[in-house]
């Protein structure tokens, strides 16, 4: 007698159950309803509803409001949440960045661009002009870019320099000098 082989069809895993637009339209009960990955629909007893994303940045839990359901759709809330989680994973604090914008405190990136613009006439060649901002974009902005300029600490500067100090000491020296120029410019501007 011959043996017959059983073929098992591969079935892809279904997406984890989350919220649906139909559920949101039905005016769910007051409370917190999870979509997954830290995204919540908050429904007040009055019936008002809004999106909130819970993330952890630098060991601190942050609840970030994404807007009301009348203005932000489920798909938009998921996209916003994904973008914020990506930034939080890099170490950026989205709450601090929003607060800095609201309070008028420029971010490090904004201040660096302002410093670069103010110093445009001081360089002898276009190459130096381009290199000045390019090194900050490549090395400093990923770590310091979203920080309010008044919150940049020596530990933050060290995070920027450690990865490049031994491999590219000259670049590290220049990045340190340029970070200092930006912070000096911020101090002179009263920030």
């Amino acid at each position: 007698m011959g043996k017959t082989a059983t073929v098992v069809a591969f079935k892809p895993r279904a997406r984890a159950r989350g919220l649906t637009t139909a559920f949101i339209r039905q005016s769910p009960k007051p409370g917190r309803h999870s979509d997954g990955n830290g995204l919540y629909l908050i429904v007040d007893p009055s019936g008002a509803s809004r999106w909130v994303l819970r993330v952890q940045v630098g060991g601190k839990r942050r609840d970030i409001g994404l807007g009301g359901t009348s203005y932000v759709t489920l798909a938009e809330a998921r996209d916003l949440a994904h973008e914020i989680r990506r930034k939080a994973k890099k170490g950026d604090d989205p709450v601090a960045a929003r607060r800095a914008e609201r309070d008028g405190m420029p971010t490090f990136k904004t201040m660096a661009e302002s410093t670069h613009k103010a110093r445009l006439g001081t360089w002898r060649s276009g190459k130096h002009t381009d290199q000045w901002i390019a090194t900050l974009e490549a090395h400093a902005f990923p770590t310091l870019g979203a920080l309010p300029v008044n919150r940049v600490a020596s530990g933050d500067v060290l995070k920027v320099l450690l990865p490049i100090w031994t491999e590219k000491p000259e670049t590290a020296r220049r990045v340190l000098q340029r970070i200092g120029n930006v912070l000096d410019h911020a101090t002179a501007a009263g920030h």
Side-chain angles (χ1 to χ4, degrees):
M1 284 199 182
K3 294 184 180 181
T4 58
T6 346
V7 177
V8 178
F10 173 73
K11 186 176 180 181
R13 244 176 95 166
R15 183 183 179 280
R17 291 178 65 83
L19 299 175
T20 63
T21 52
F23 175 79
I24 296 164
R25 268 186 265 130
Q26 292 174 0
S27 301
K29 294 179 183 177
R32 182 182 289 254
H33 306 278
S34 175
D35 185 55
N37 290 327
L39 180 61
Y40 293 94
L41 171 67
I42 309 291
V43 181
D44 295 333
S46 67
S49 57
R50 64 190 179 281
W51 298 107
V52 173
L53 176 66
R54 180 171 281 182
V55 293
Q56 190 161 355
V57 179
K60 293 181 180 179
R61 185 178 79 193
R62 300 286 198 188
D63 285 347
I64 303 166
L66 304 179
T69 56
S70 57
Y71 300 106
V72 181
T73 66
L74 174 60
E76 290 170 338
R78 285 176 177 161
D79 290 343
L80 282 168
H82 175 73
E83 186 65 27
I84 291 171
R85 278 193 303 270
R86 189 176 63 76
K87 288 179 181 178
K89 189 174 182 180
K90 289 190 322 185
D92 294 345
D93 188 346
V95 174
R98 277 187 182 178
R99 194 171 291 139
E101 277 181 29
R102 184 186 68 221
D103 297 342
M105 182 61 61
T107 62
F108 179 84
K109 180 178 180 180
T110 305
M111 187 53 65
E113 291 165 349
S114 172
T115 305
H116 182 253
K117 189 175 181 179
R119 299 186 66 187
L120 277 176
T122 63
W123 291 291
R124 294 181 189 179
S125 73
K127 180 181 175 184
H128 291 117
T129 303
D130 296 340
Q131 282 180 342
W132 197 93
I133 196 72
T135 54
L136 289 176
E137 287 172 349
H139 302 291
F141 288 0
T143 304
L144 304 176
L147 279 177
V149 75
N150 66 340
R151 303 292 291 266
V152 175
S154 56
D156 300 320
V157 176
L158 194 60
K159 284 181 192 173
V160 171
L161 298 175
L162 281 177
I164 57 174
W165 201 260
T166 55
E167 292 177 24
K168 305 173 188 175
E170 184 61 24
T171 301
R173 186 188 64 74
R174 289 178 181 172
V175 169
L176 176 60
Q177 181 182 25
R178 290 164 188 171
I179 290 171
N181 291 149
V182 172
L183 297 178
D184 288 347
H185 188 84
T187 302
H191 302 299

